[in-house]
Each structure stands twice: as structure tokens, then as C-alpha cells.
Amino acid sequence: MTKLTLISSAIFSVLCSQSALAATVTGKVMDDKNQLIKNASIHVHGKNQSVKSNDLGEFAIDIDANSQLHISKDNYIDSRITVTESSNNLSVSLKPTSVETVVVYASALHKNSLEMISPVSVLSGDELRNKSKPTLGETLKGLPGVNASYFGPVSSSPIIRGLDGPRVKITQNGLDASDASRIGPDHATSSDSLAAEQIEVLRGPSTLLYGSGAIGGVVNVVDNRIPTSNIDELTGAAEYSHDTVSNSNTVAAKLETGNEGFNFHFDGTKRSGDDYQTPTFTIAHDDGDVETESSVENTFIDSETLNFGTSYVGDHLTIGFSYGSIDTDYGIPGHEHHHDHEGETEEEPVYAHLEQDRWQGLVSYALHNNWIETINLRVGYTDYSHSEIEDGEIGTTFKNKTTEARLNVEHKFADWHGMMGYHYSDSDYDAIGEEAFTPASVTTTNALYLLEERKFGDVTIELGARIEDYKIESQITAHEHSHDEVEIDHSDEETIGYNKSFTNLSASAGAIWQYKPGHSIATSISHSERAPLSAELLSNGLHIATGTYELGLGYNIEDNEAHFEPENIKQETSTNLDLSFRRFSGDFGYTVNFFYNDIKNFYFQENTGLVYDEEDGLESAIGAHDDAVAVYQFTSKDAELYGIEFDAHYQVTPSAMVKVFGDSTRAKLKDDEGNLPRIPANKLGSELQYDLGDLQLTLTGTHYFDQNDVTAFETKTDGYTLFDAQANYQLGLGGVDAQLYINVDNITDELGFVHSSFIKDKAPLPGRNFRFGVRGYF
């Protein structure tokens, strides 16, 4: 209550401060050929006021003294102009670009994709709808620097520059998705790409705003479930699609309406599909048997999502809340339990039942004030449950209840514009059942952060810092697994109360030089610290999904016995350098990013050379039973990751555009200790877009190279090439904007194995798929 009281007092004191007198600024928006531009958006930077230019390109807007106007229009480079109370009859010139510019909500300072210092990609509009897949990983894996963990098509998380799991923060409207996908690769992300307005990928450390879990990057799913702009009429959309590769059907709908500042939103999605088909492949078993398969068993999905939200948007105050639910059943490939029936061994498929209830609230107040611009409070509560069903019974249930709050105060001091904030998160994680390899734990973070930017002519610099108190609490059941242990005597087990606190510090400095319109160079250096997740620190059990026995950093193995001795746990510390070259003007554009990431105490799972057997516990792999599984332990060693990612486009004619994209990541331990495991293969691709009036055609080819940089216990992965095609046809049906489309994925029916997958040999990529669909908007 003390924290809430302090926050409330701070807000009240700011709201009661004196406001500056407003003035009206007028102007005109034109292009580089002095042609008038209508419907350009003009708003006061950092505030809610916004107007559109009329048919003559004219506008008038109320401002405070020494404000900044942000002028934007699709297919033009944004412009920012400093104005005073006496500014009038402005002439604003916008330079055309063939790249769409969108505001990046995850940036916190209203920056668009061309102004970001850190590399960013945004999928939105028709591009997002055409590329949308059931999982975030599959939706985003075509972006430069982004790949997917791929535990089958229903559980696939993003990998950014070789980093995944707890190092990539997945957020929804800036708040943590709060699922269990960071615990294991077989746990699906709860964020739904089908209902998203746009998806933002921030590459490189984004820990200043999002905490130590964003040491590798952020994927932010943006939706309009809490409307932040007034909706004056009833609008909606509906979509149906069918995929042949898994005989799946998807139905989605959205409705929005509003009146006199009150706004309402509804969306829902239903998807069902069978096991997916693949080109013919073989699976070699430990007993020497070889099976030939043309599908991946146990990859069905049956999912329903439902979301609604409401808000009130006034001149200064925006307040709203939303509720969302997810109810999904999906098969987990390669996740079978073995049972004996009259001397015969049968494999019993396991499927997951995922349920989530999520509440979010928003309070935002925009002030006419010289130094405080906006106060924004977002709160969220998520109740997540993932149960694994075996033979109709619940075997293991993973639960996560998360409470999160983020208070941002946007301000302007002299020539500096920035954000200071407070971030609170409490995650109550529990696992019950035979696969509860990680004990229940409560993780609490409290953080303060500051982000500031200042413009010096054509150069904008950005400085930031964050201090985070990170605390893990758990009850550890202490028993040793040894080579001569036949059965655990639970009466001798000891429960140890474990509490550990870390102070994570992050800081960054960056600059972007717009050396001429549409051309820029950006660079940044950042320092980030990350404390281990409970799974990395406290794991002690059999993880069926990965076919391993997992031990955390807190355990020490001596004479084939595991002892809980969590001393000298050091934080993972990353120093990251980024350098970007960008061009967005005219018919030709490109983005080229170079990065180097030096990580001390990098946490990863290392094969111990031991195996775990249910009867004998931990023992040497030599002479062990066939059904014993390898023992992997989290350890920390110094590592480095570096590489390049790029995309370029050329508008050949007004109707034709060619794109080229690719990435390369090298990830290894220092001191010649070998490569890091499951690092995605390099890729190179090209895309051709062609418009024929109401018909839009796209052809994409992507080559994934061989991955030969492997660890001692990995196998190499051969390269493959995928060709995909899309055709969209616009229909005019009165007041309904309709679109028919057909996508053909993997046209050549290529057999491809994903190196970053834990079950790559059992779950290749889907074969040729025809996706038919229709969308309508009104």
C-alpha cells in the first residue's frame, strides 16, 4: 500500500501543477515537388493532441510553448519540427519513401521505425495478416536476425540473434505475456498473432524498459483491446481460412464501436487442425529400427480465444480495461510416455491443455505542462495454466500467476525529452506432477529506469539506465540422486527454504545521424545484467519433452551425486555493440545491422556425461540401460555472439518491387571451448512483389544454409530452400472491403530440419501447403 500511496501522491501533485498557456500553430503539408498532401497526421510530440491536414494540405493545432510537431503520412518519411507560441504559416515538406513507416509502441517515446536507434522490424496491416501463423515463432522467422525454436507448428518461440528462452521478452502491449514458454520449448506462447494489430521485434538488449528478461530482444504484440483513440462508428472484420497440410480451419472476427468518448472492442478466434503432413523422412530408433513417416504425429490443435475491452478517451484522460481468455488443446510431438501392456511397450501420446485469463488496465493523462507531458499507468494480471494430459488424466500442471504494473512519466527538461518509470512484477510459478522438474517459486522484481534523448542538429543521442531488484523464493526438496540409489525414501527428504536476491544494472548509450533525408547511421552500446530464472537455477528432474534429466546452476555433482549448493551464482552480463546503416528515400532502400555481443557467465545446458535411470539414479553413460536419459546441467561460461542482418528493396516499377534479406550469426564459447548449442542456421532470401490492379502477387524464396558449427553432443543439419507464393485479390462489395487470397507454402515440398529444434529429427517442417482464405472489413 505504501508504494501505491506514493504513486498516487506523485500523480496528484503533478495534476495540480500549473499548465502553460496554449497557442494555435497553422501550416501546410506538401511533398518534395510542392504537391499538397491531405490527411497527413500532425500531433504534438508526447501528447494526445492530433489533427489531420485538409484537402488543401492545411492544418491548425493548439500547442504549448516550445513544443515539437510530429508530421506523418503513409509512404512518406516523418518530419519533426520545433515550434513556439509565435510559429505560424509553417511549410512542411515530406520526402516520399517506398517503405511504410509505423510508430513503434515498444520504443516508449513515440518513435517510428525509421527513427529507432536500436534495430527494429514491424509487421502490420496486410503484410502481418498474410504472414500470420498460429505461433509467434513461425510468423516472425522470415525476418532478418529472427528464427524459431520449432517444437512443431503449434509450439514455436522466436529466437533473436541466436538467443531465445529467458533472454527474449514476449510482451503484449508492453506487459509480459506471463506464460510458461520460457520454461520449456514444448510450452506454447500465449500471445495470439492472428488478433494482433502489429508485431514489433526489437533486436539486441532492450532491458532498460523491459527488464533483465530482455537481454536478447523484445517481441511486442500490439492490439487495440483497450482503444486509445475515439471510435465514432461501428467497424468490424471477419476472416476464414483453410490449410491443406493439416486440414485446419481458422475463423476470426473483430468488432469495434464507440460514442461520445466511450469505446468498445471485441475479437475472437477459433482454430482447429489435425497432424501436419511432411515430405517422407525416416526416424532411427536406439534399438536399430528405422521408421518411414510422412507426417508428424500428435501435432493437432484446437484453440479458442476471446477478448473484449472498453475505454474512455477524453481530451486529457484515457482510462480503460480489457479481458482475454485462451482455451487450447494441442499435441506435443516427441513427447510420449512408455507403458508395458502384457510384455509389449506402447507409446502413449501426450497433449497439452492451455488456459489463460488475462486482465489489463490503462490510465493515461496528458498535461498541458512545461515539463511533464504524459503520465501513463499500465497494470496486468495473468492466470496461466498448462496441463499435460496422459491417457485422459492430468500428468503434470504448470501454473503461473503474474501481477505487473508499469508507471511511465514522459517529460521534457530543457532540450532533453525522456521517460522515467517504475516497473513491478510478481510471478507465482508452480508445477505439480511427475514432470515437475522445477520447484514452485515466486519471483519479484522492482525497478526504476530513466531514458533520455536530445537532438543536436541532424544527430539524436539517447541515454538510459535501469536498476532492478530481483528476488527468487522457493522451497527445495533436498535429496541426492546417486549411482547406488534404488528408491528415494521420501520420509528422509529435507525441505529447504531458499531466498536469493540480485541487483541487476543496465545502461545504454546510442546515437542516430540523419546525414540527409532518408539516410541514417545508428550505433549503440549497452550493458545488461540478468539473474537466472528458477528453471535455470533450481531444476532437478526429468524433462520428458527434451528427453533429458535437468539440473540447475544451484546443484553440484560429486561422485555421481547431486547436492544442492547454490553458492557463488553470478549474473549473466552482456555488453552489446550495434552498428546500423539505413536508407529509406526514393525507390531504393536498405538496412544493414552489424552486432557483437560479449556475454560473461552465459547460462546454458551442458552434457555432464552422466545418465539418469529410474532405478539407479545418476550413473555413468557407459554400460547404462537403453532407456536411461542424458543428464544436462545448467552452467555458466563466457561466450560471444556476432553477426550481420540485412534487408534491401528496390521499386523496379510502380507495380514491381524486389527485396533481398538475410542474416548470419556466430555463437561460441570463449577460450576455444566450443560452439553454443542449437544456434539457427544462416539464411538468405529474396522476394518479388507485383501489383496488377486489384491483384497482388508475391513470390518468396529462402535458403537456410548447412549448420556445421555444433557442440560435441549435436549433429549437423543440412541446408534446404523454401519457396512460398501469395496471391491476394481485392473485391468491392458495397460497404465491405473484401479480399480473397491463396498462399502456397513450401511449393517444392522440400524436406527441411530446423537445427534450433530440440526434436529436429522427429519433426521436420511441414510439406507443401495450400491456404485458402477470405477477409472482409466494414
Side-chain angles (χ1 to χ4, degrees):
M1 288 300 296
T2 302
K3 293 175 184 173
L4 292 177
T5 303
L6 291 173
I7 293 172
S8 300
S9 300
I11 294 175
F12 181 77
S13 63
V14 171
L15 296 182
C16 294
S17 61
Q18 294 295 319
S19 299
L21 294 176
T24 299
V25 170
T26 61
K28 183 177 294 187
V29 184
M30 299 174 291
D31 62 16
D32 57 344
K33 298 178 180 178
N34 292 325
Q35 298 296 310
L36 301 174
I37 299 176
K38 65 179 181 180
N39 289 325
S41 176
I42 302 96
H43 85 267
V44 180
H45 185 55
K47 302 191 179 180
N48 282 353
Q49 303 99 297
S50 179
V51 298
K52 297 281 188 181
S53 59
N54 61 21
D55 290 345
L56 300 177
E58 300 169 336
F59 68 88
I61 189 169
D62 294 334
I63 64 145
D64 300 327
N66 300 322
S67 297
Q68 185 184 74
L69 296 185
H70 180 193
I71 301 96
S72 60
K73 172 72 174 176
D74 289 347
N75 301 318
Y76 291 89
I77 298 174
D78 293 12
S79 177
R80 296 182 186 272
I81 300 175
T82 300
V83 294
T84 66
E85 292 174 318
S86 59
S87 297
N88 248 320
N89 298 321
L90 298 173
S91 180
V92 180
S93 179
L94 300 182
K95 192 174 182 64
T97 176
S98 54
V99 177
E100 183 180 7
T101 63
V102 293
V103 173
V104 181
Y105 292 92
S107 71
L109 293 178
H110 317 290
K111 291 179 176 292
N112 67 47
S113 52
L114 309 188
E115 300 170 321
M116 293 285 291
I117 292 176
S118 300
V120 63
S121 294
V122 180
L123 285 180
S124 62
D126 285 339
E127 183 182 17
L128 171 58
R129 287 184 279 271
N130 290 335
K131 295 182 177 180
S132 182
K133 299 289 193 299
T135 65
L136 280 179
E138 293 306 289
T139 299
L140 301 173
K141 70 177 184 179
L143 297 176
V146 184
N147 288 276
S149 61
Y150 199 74
F151 208 92
V154 294
S155 179
S156 183
S157 296
I159 299 175
I160 301 178
R161 294 177 172 178
L163 299 177
D164 65 346
R167 298 179 183 89
V168 173
K169 178 76 79 173
I170 297 177
T171 62
Q172 184 179 359
N173 299 321
L175 296 180
D176 198 311
S178 303
D179 51 35
S181 62
R182 312 297 89 187
I183 301 297
D186 58 321
H187 295 187
T189 59
S190 61
S191 297
D192 182 9
S193 61
L194 292 172
E197 300 283 331
Q198 68 183 45
I199 302 177
E200 305 163 347
V201 180
L202 278 65
R203 303 180 188 86
S206 302
T207 55
L208 292 180
L209 293 176
Y210 297 99
S212 56
I215 201 169
V218 168
V219 175
N220 185 41
V221 180
V222 181
D223 56 52
N224 197 40
R225 288 167 186 165
I226 302 180
T228 54
S229 298
N230 280 321
I231 304 170
D232 298 323
E233 58 184 359
L234 177 65
T235 62
E239 178 176 3
Y240 167 78
S241 66
H242 175 79
D243 288 80
T244 61
V245 77
S246 59
N247 191 33
S248 65
N249 296 285
T250 303
V251 178
K254 179 177 73 171
L255 287 173
E256 292 184 335
T257 188
N259 184 42
E260 297 183 352
F262 291 94
N263 309 282
F264 303 92
H265 169 99
F266 164 83
D267 72 75
T269 304
K270 181 173 177 57
R271 180 174 184 265
S272 61
D274 302 327
D275 296 347
Y276 73 92
Q277 306 297 306
T278 69
T280 302
F281 70 104
T282 58
I283 300 178
H285 296 281
D286 294 337
D287 58 7
D289 289 344
V290 177
E291 286 187 74
T292 300
E293 302 285 355
S294 59
S295 66
V296 178
E297 294 183 11
N298 204 28
T299 53
F300 74 91
I301 187 171
D302 188 355
S303 177
E304 293 182 3
T305 66
L306 182 67
N307 302 277
F308 69 86
T310 184
S311 68
Y312 171 77
V313 179
D315 292 337
H316 298 273
L317 177 67
T318 298
I319 184 169
F321 75 92
S322 68
Y323 166 76
S325 70
I326 302 173
D327 193 322
T328 300
D329 290 331
Y330 66 92
I332 306 176
H335 194 313
E336 292 88 14
H337 285 256
H338 299 268
H339 293 282
D340 289 326
H341 296 281
E342 300 179 356
E344 296 184 2
T345 299
E346 294 184 2
E347 290 187 347
E348 178 187 321
V350 178
Y351 72 92
H353 178 62
L354 186 158
E355 291 182 298
Q356 178 175 287
D357 294 299
R358 182 177 177 90
W359 292 263
Q360 290 192 68
L362 167 68
V363 180
S364 180
Y365 194 88
L367 293 86
H368 291 290
N369 186 286
N370 283 328
W371 59 284
I372 297 293
E373 296 184 332
T374 306
I375 299 172
N376 186 289
L377 174 66
R378 280 192 179 272
V379 295
Y381 176 77
T382 303
D383 187 350
Y384 170 93
S385 174
H386 168 109
S387 298
E388 297 184 352
I389 314 299
E390 309 164 19
D391 195 23
E393 302 290 336
I394 295 177
T396 308
T397 297
F398 301 88
K399 296 182 178 180
N400 194 23
K401 296 182 179 180
T402 302
T403 304
E404 187 175 9
R406 181 184 298 278
L407 175 68
N408 289 332
V409 179
E410 191 173 353
H411 58 261
K412 186 175 182 181
F413 298 124
D415 294 325
W416 291 89
H417 173 241
M419 178 84 67
M420 55 184 175
Y422 166 72
H423 184 200
Y424 167 81
S425 177
D426 180 87
S427 177
D428 187 350
Y429 166 80
D430 196 6
I432 305 167
E434 61 182 68
E435 289 187 34
F437 58 94
T438 302
S441 62
V442 176
T443 304
T444 306
T445 61
N446 289 276
L448 296 172
Y449 51 88
L450 183 67
L451 185 65
E452 301 290 336
E453 67 172 7
R454 181 177 176 181
K455 195 169 185 178
F456 296 87
D458 295 329
V459 177
T460 301
I461 65 170
E462 187 177 279
L463 305 173
R466 177 185 175 108
I467 181 170
E468 176 182 277
D469 178 69
Y470 181 96
K471 184 177 182 180
I472 295 179
E473 301 175 272
S474 183
Q475 297 290 323
I476 307 300
T477 300
H479 57 258
E480 285 78 33
H481 296 297
S482 64
H483 62 283
D484 57 358
E485 182 179 1
V486 177
E487 185 175 348
I488 297 171
D489 184 356
H490 292 278
S491 63
D492 294 336
E493 291 179 351
E494 179 185 0
T495 300
I496 302 172
Y498 178 74
N499 296 278
K500 180 67 175 177
S501 293
F502 299 87
T503 300
N504 298 318
L505 299 174
S506 300
S508 71
I512 183 169
W513 177 28
Q514 307 271 1
Y515 57 93
K516 64 178 183 177
H519 298 69
S520 65
I521 299 174
T523 185
S524 65
I525 185 169
S526 60
H527 168 92
S528 306
E529 293 179 349
R530 185 175 79 88
L533 291 183
S534 60
E536 296 170 308
L537 182 60
L538 306 175
S539 288
N540 181 7
L542 189 63
H543 192 178
I544 299 296
T546 58
T548 61
Y549 190 96
E550 296 190 4
L551 282 173
L553 291 161
Y555 286 86
N556 180 46
I557 299 176
E558 185 177 346
D559 295 329
N560 289 358
E561 295 183 351
H563 305 273
F564 186 62
E565 299 174 357
E567 288 87 20
N568 302 318
I569 303 296
K570 297 181 179 179
Q571 288 144 294
E572 189 177 85
T573 304
S574 168
T575 302
N576 190 84
L577 178 66
D578 260 293
L579 179 62
S580 300
F581 299 89
R582 306 169 189 166
R583 170 177 170 157
F584 296 107
S585 64
D587 295 330
F588 175 65
Y590 57 79
T591 299
V592 182
N593 305 319
F594 298 91
F595 68 91
Y596 178 81
N597 197 357
D598 184 292
I599 306 179
K600 296 186 181 298
N601 306 314
F602 183 85
Y603 307 144
F604 69 103
Q605 288 178 298
E606 188 174 52
N607 194 312
T608 63
L610 301 175
V611 296
Y612 172 78
D613 182 81
E614 290 185 0
E615 294 183 358
D616 300 325
L618 303 186
E619 60 179 355
S620 171
I622 301 175
H625 293 161
D626 291 339
D627 57 355
V629 298
V631 177
Y632 278 76
Q633 182 174 23
F634 282 95
T635 186
S636 61
K637 295 182 180 180
D638 294 347
E640 60 180 353
L641 298 89
Y642 53 87
I644 181 176
E645 55 207 17
F646 68 91
D647 65 85
H649 66 272
Y650 178 60
Q651 191 79 42
V652 183
T653 70
S655 300
M657 177 184 284
V658 176
K659 294 183 178 181
V660 179
F661 58 89
D663 59 52
S664 174
T665 299
R666 186 75 175 90
K668 59 184 180 179
L669 295 170
K670 288 190 170 182
D671 302 322
D672 295 323
E673 291 199 42
N675 300 303
L676 290 176
R678 292 179 302 280
I679 298 302
N682 301 332
K683 68 174 180 278
L684 177 65
S686 181
E687 182 173 289
L688 171 63
Q689 298 177 357
Y690 197 83
D691 289 348
L692 290 169
D694 291 329
L695 178 65
Q696 292 87 43
L697 303 173
T698 303
L699 177 65
T700 306
T702 308
H703 178 69
Y704 292 84
F705 291 86
D706 296 346
Q707 179 54 287
N708 299 319
D709 297 326
V710 297
T711 65
F713 299 96
E714 277 189 302
T715 58
K716 298 178 181 180
T717 304
D718 293 335
Y720 53 92
T721 303
L722 300 179
F723 290 98
D724 306 319
Q726 298 175 356
N728 294 1
Y729 185 73
Q730 306 290 334
L731 295 172
L733 301 176
V736 177
D737 179 14
Q739 185 180 86
L740 294 174
Y741 63 89
I742 178 173
N743 294 1
V744 187
D745 301 324
N746 194 3
I747 296 173
T748 60
D749 205 31
E750 178 89 348
L751 179 62
F753 294 92
V754 181
H755 184 76
S756 52
S757 172
F758 276 89
I759 56 170
K760 69 169 184 176
D761 295 327
K762 297 180 180 179
L765 290 168
R768 184 185 298 112
N769 176 43
F770 292 89
R771 183 185 183 192
F772 307 91
V774 59
R775 305 185 188 104
Y777 308 89
F778 63 89

